[in-house]
Amino acid sequence: MFILSSSSSLPSPLSLSSSRVSLSPPSSSSLNLLPLSPHFQPPNLACSCSVASRSTAELLHDFKHSAHTAASADEARNHLPHSRAFLDVRSEQELLSYIRREAEAGKLPSNVAAGMEELYQNYKNAVLKSGNPKADEIVLSNMTVALDRILLDVEEPFVFSPHHKAVREPFDYYTFGQNYVRPLIDFGNSFVGNPFLFKDIEEKLHQGHNVVLISNHQTEADPAIISLLLEKTSPYIAENMIYVAGDRVIVDPLCKPFSIGRNLICVYSKKHMFDIPELAETKRKANTRSLKEMALLLRGGSQLIWIAPSGGRDRLDPSSGEWSPRGQAPFDASSMDNMRRLIQHSGVPGSLCPLALLCYDIMPPPSKVEIEIGEKRVISFNGVGLSLAPAISFEAIAATHRNPDEAREAYSKALFDSVSMQYNISSLYNQLMT
């Protein structure tokens, strides 16, 4: 993996035009590349979670032998009796046979069973392409636990609260998700842009500031990819980030176990607000409750929140043929203004920082927005990257606009253009590295 640091004189978002940014390959003197191995551990850097580097097998061993105590509803749910046969399978044949038996017995809906088989095959193919000599062992270990968690949720569906805190015990869903996605990342061809800005964010968080990352969104695995890229250099950020999550990742049976391991503010995406018209008002009220939860969090300070204001994953950009922010809707100015005002009225210092994420090859979204739950998961082994830009000041932009509405539009555009510029730089680095 590479840590990429641009020069200190980063492009000002105020100077960006509305046209697509055209970049020339930077000279070697403008790049500060720090090559990292997948297992690199910087000196004097302690992870805040003692189990962050433990394997799925180790977590599973502890879980199977843990005391059956339940101090909360979440813990109690993990001890409900259900078939644990997935955890005892020793081969692909056994695993696939068990999926089919559970479906025939009526314990698994047919569409979920089909999705589990498809997920297994696609995950296996992706991990095998990594060339890891233990690929078969990794696939079986990770998939048996994933399918066990999926089956558990089918039998006893987990209900997310507006503000969901990652479930770390008695089963550590966060580490499970990290271990599952890690084999899909080509760390030798991955990168983090402007790492000094992440250090700056961490310092601000410890000082009680709030930081909101305004980002594009590419895959269902975005939270795990972000955490995996930062787990060695910025472990506090990796584990404590809160993601604003759309309803699909908290209702899809194949997504839910991974979502349970993340800190979430749960909302209904504007893209799916009217999928079922009679539920639109209920969804709006739910979003209002989530907004109130976010406001309470920000008043307490030291919050790091990730949000994708376009309301969905990136789509194909006709001008480049790639999945990029330019293929998605621009950021909604009213949403950006609401976020800014939430920070402003929290009573503690706060800022909005643009973040670009490049990872669509890992798990690209469907070519069209789908209404039905249960999309096809195409998975591959690839390098990924993310790049952070400095916070953008609304006051600086508002000073050049007399009309408040124009100022809000200009601020939203500046954030979007900054994310797009960082994405273009990341894409260029990716091309140079491969």
Side-chain angles (χ1 to χ4, degrees):
M1 183 169 76
F2 291 88
I3 302 295
L4 307 183
S5 179
S6 62
S7 63
S8 58
S9 56
L10 295 172
S12 168
L14 296 177
S15 65
L16 300 179
S17 68
S18 59
S19 62
R20 181 174 172 83
V21 178
S22 176
L23 295 173
S24 299
S27 64
S28 59
S29 61
S30 68
L31 298 182
N32 179 8
L33 304 183
L34 176 62
L36 301 179
S37 75
H39 307 293
F40 172 75
Q41 177 64 55
N44 302 320
L45 195 64
C47 178
S48 60
C49 174
S50 61
V51 299
S53 62
R54 299 173 66 197
S55 70
T56 301
E58 290 174 319
L59 292 171
L60 183 57
H61 178 273
D62 284 357
F63 176 64
K64 291 173 74 174
H65 293 84
S66 63
H68 286 227
T69 58
S72 68
D74 284 344
E75 291 181 351
R77 173 185 172 279
N78 283 279
H79 295 297
L80 288 170
H82 85 109
S83 174
R84 307 307 301 276
F86 275 124
L87 302 181
D88 297 322
V89 301
R90 294 294 179 265
S91 69
E92 175 182 301
Q93 183 179 3
E94 287 183 24
L95 183 146
L96 296 176
S97 295
Y98 187 65
I99 293 175
R100 292 159 190 164
R101 286 202 305 271
E102 290 294 281
E104 291 170 359
K107 296 182 180 179
L108 274 175
S110 59
N111 63 323
V112 175
M116 292 166 81
E117 285 200 45
E118 179 183 78
L119 181 65
Y120 172 79
Q121 295 294 350
N122 290 345
Y123 185 76
K124 181 185 77 169
N125 292 337
V127 177
L128 287 175
K129 288 180 181 177
S130 71
N132 190 316
K134 295 185 177 180
D136 288 323
E137 177 184 333
I138 291 170
V139 169
L140 192 61
S141 175
N142 286 346
M143 282 304 307
T144 53
V145 179
L147 297 181
D148 172 74
R149 296 290 98 185
I150 292 169
L151 177 59
L152 171 60
D153 194 77
V154 168
E155 294 175 343
E156 185 66 25
F158 185 90
V159 178
F160 289 84
S161 59
H163 172 215
H164 167 76
K165 294 183 180 180
V167 175
R168 303 297 301 264
E169 57 182 19
F171 180 83
D172 191 338
Y173 279 90
Y174 171 85
T175 302
F176 150 69
Q178 296 295 94
N179 289 342
Y180 186 90
V181 176
R182 185 178 285 109
L184 301 176
I185 297 179
D186 180 359
F187 285 95
N189 288 308
S190 296
F191 53 87
V192 175
N194 302 322
F196 65 93
L197 292 177
F198 286 104
K199 292 299 181 185
D200 181 60
I201 283 178
E202 187 165 339
E203 290 177 6
K204 283 183 167 58
L205 293 173
H206 289 311
Q207 292 167 7
H209 293 208
N210 294 315
V211 177
V212 175
L213 301 179
I214 304 300
S215 175
N216 67 314
H217 174 30
Q218 294 213 310
T219 78
E220 292 175 334
D222 283 0
I225 290 169
I226 293 171
S227 294
L228 285 164
L229 289 177
L230 298 177
E231 68 177 353
K232 298 299 183 183
T233 56
S234 301
Y236 180 84
I237 289 177
E239 295 195 37
N240 290 282
M241 193 178 298
I242 300 172
Y243 298 86
V244 177
D247 56 298
R248 298 175 77 81
V249 297
I250 62 173
V251 297
D252 190 316
L254 301 186
C255 281
K256 288 182 69 176
F258 301 96
S259 299
I260 292 171
R262 300 290 157 182
N263 300 307
L264 304 176
I265 296 292
C266 302
V267 300
Y268 286 94
S269 168
K270 62 183 181 182
K271 285 190 174 182
H272 298 284
M273 185 64 68
F274 295 97
D275 286 354
I276 304 176
E278 56 268 29
L279 295 180
E281 185 59 28
T282 299
K283 292 180 179 181
R284 287 197 191 95
K285 291 180 180 178
N287 281 357
T288 299
R289 289 194 297 271
S290 295
L291 197 64
K292 290 180 179 178
E293 288 285 344
M294 189 185 299
L296 289 173
L297 286 171
L298 292 171
R299 288 173 191 169
S302 299
Q303 302 299 319
L304 176 61
I305 299 176
W306 177 95
I307 182 171
S310 289
R313 287 167 288 180
D314 292 345
R315 300 290 163 180
L316 283 174
D317 179 355
S319 65
S320 67
E322 296 181 347
W323 304 84
S324 78
R326 292 291 181 188
Q328 179 61 288
F331 296 160
D332 181 71
S334 62
S335 296
M336 290 296 86
D337 194 55
N338 285 339
M339 197 70 249
R340 179 187 65 80
R341 291 163 69 87
L342 277 176
I343 293 176
Q344 180 182 1
H345 295 295
S346 67
V348 298
S351 55
L352 275 72
C353 299
L355 176 72
L357 186 60
L358 175 65
C359 60
Y360 63 89
D361 280 325
I362 292 285
M363 194 183 297
S367 57
K368 297 180 180 179
V369 177
E370 297 183 351
I371 295 177
E372 297 297 325
I373 296 295
E375 68 185 54
K376 180 180 179 67
R377 267 79 183 187
V378 179
I379 307 172
S380 64
F381 173 77
N382 260 286
V384 297
L386 73 161
S387 186
L388 184 64
I392 296 179
S393 168
F394 175 78
E395 288 72 20
I397 292 178
T400 63
H401 293 80
R402 293 183 179 180
N403 185 302
D405 290 335
E406 290 180 359
R408 287 191 286 269
E409 290 288 345
Y411 184 61
S412 178
K413 181 179 180 301
L415 287 164
F416 181 77
D417 286 345
S418 183
V419 170
S420 297
M421 171 170 278
Q422 292 301 313
Y423 186 88
N424 290 340
I425 294 172
S426 299
S427 181
L428 177 61
Y429 284 145
N430 181 262
Q431 294 171 28
L432 292 173
M433 290 164 56
T434 56

